[in-house]
Amino acid sequence: MPPRTIIEPFRIHSVEPLRMTSEAERREAVIGAGYNLFSLRSEAVLIDLLTDSGTGAMSSEQWAGIQRGDEAYAGSPSWYRFEAAVKTLFPMPHVIPTHQGRAAEKILMTAIGGPGRVVPNNTHFDTTRANVEATGAEAVDLVIPEALDPALEHPFKGNMDLARLDAFLAERARDVPAVFVTITNNSGGGQPVSLENIRGVRKLCDAHGVPLFLDACRFAENAWFIREREPGQGARDVADIVRDIAALADGMTMSAKKDGLANIGGWLAVRDDELAARCRNLLILTEGFPTYGGLAGRDLDAIAQGLQEVVEHDYLRYRVRSTGYLGDGLRQAGIPVMRPVGGHAVYIDARALLPHVPPLEYPGQALAVALFVAGGIRSCEIGTVMFGRHPDGSERPAALDLVRLAVPRRTYTQSHIDYVIEICAEVASRAGDLRGYRIVAEPPALRHFTARFEPLAS
Ligand SMILES: *Cc1c(COP(=O)(O)O)cnc(C)c1O
């Protein structure tokens, strides 16, 4: 029997002090920020679960890579190490480095998007959707219906709805420059896509003559879920599962701030020579020369090393279990969370926890502010603040009001997570006392980043 306790598969080599704050200090900080957690100085935050993007800890070998980094403008050895590491997992002929994922999206969509085009995806991440729409093309989400029920258990809640994709392609294939599969499905809570489902998407793409691209930001977490949950995959090496996924795709976009285990970076990879040439020309306009893209040589080395570490089974077992541990702890405290817990974040159903706060009084914002004041925990509202305002000026409740607790990679220990669970349970025990908010100032778009709020009188 293997030991029951799954430990962090690392020890700490360099520490970053956390600044303890009092509730009074936090209350003052959040008032100064207009009750918007994006507007806080991060020193006021004790446990920062705003995002898992670029916020993880690098390993000693990655820091050694930073020293090894070679800053030659063209043909640096760092570039060759980066390219080799990418191609070990994703053997595609053309790898184009970018400063982060959205730059890869921008370049690809500029090359293949445009008015009249339409891009299906299981669920577009927000920057992906924005980059599709910025070209005048349309973004369509075709995730399975199970994904939309927060309480439903399903092993692969990120799967594409193959029947709907087939019907869609039958009608629109001529207008589809690529079908995208996002692994894991970020907007759906970090839910994985099965290998069988990606094979099904490939078959439909072949039948309708359209390319298949991966939004591969959390490819390693997705491959780990395949190993754990998909029949016949349990004895396999995760790196082999990743290569199986890669073999099904014509190209990919990637943010190295996620499963690159780096603080910055990304890439675009494609098989088609002509498309690669067009993308490289765009790269030179906005990112840089094709052997560094938007990155320093040292960043290329940090990513090259990160790609070796991210497919280690001990790392992935710890990663997925530690996120699951947070979800289990919250559930045991009676807090409604989206099921099953995904790879990188736990989502609290704020609408269910605060039924007395109507969606247009922002229950997710109320909970997020309360978690910060009570314990210095920074989370992210994903609900009516983020999605409620429409281009025609109207405001409507979002489909769900969630609070996301995203877990940075290799950064917090189990006692930090125990603390988070304790604070959440304490706040949940007085959820009935929490009051809603109103927005006193908001920009015309993407209001959640800069809006200012005021608490409603109790
Ligand atoms: C983060 C992310 C992106 C964009 O990457 P950035 O590095 O933040 O620009 C695209 N798709 C998904 C699924 C992501 O999680």
Side-chain angles (χ1 to χ4, degrees), residues 1-2 4 57 59 65-66 96 101 106 139 150 170 188 195-196 208 256 270 306 342 382 422 442 444:
M1 279 282 282
R4 257 180 0 96
S59 67
I66 292 275
I96 296 172
K106 163 81 178 157
L195 191 52
E196 185 190 20
H208 295 280
V270 301
I382 301 200
E422 180 184 332
E442 65 178 286

Side-chain angles (χ1 to χ4, degrees), residues 51-53 99-103 105 123-128 182-187 215-218 253-258 264-266 344:
T51 173
D52 67 319
S53 179
H99 78 277
Q100 56 184 89
R102 67 197 68 186
E105 294 169 349
T123 310
H124 285 84
F125 180 65
D126 54 11
T127 62
T128 323
T182 303
I183 56 173
T184 56
N185 194 27
N186 184 350
S187 309
D215 177 344
C217 295
R218 295 179 184 78
T253 55
M254 174 70 192
S255 170
K257 301 172 75 169
K258 285 59 172 270
I264 196 72
H344 70 282

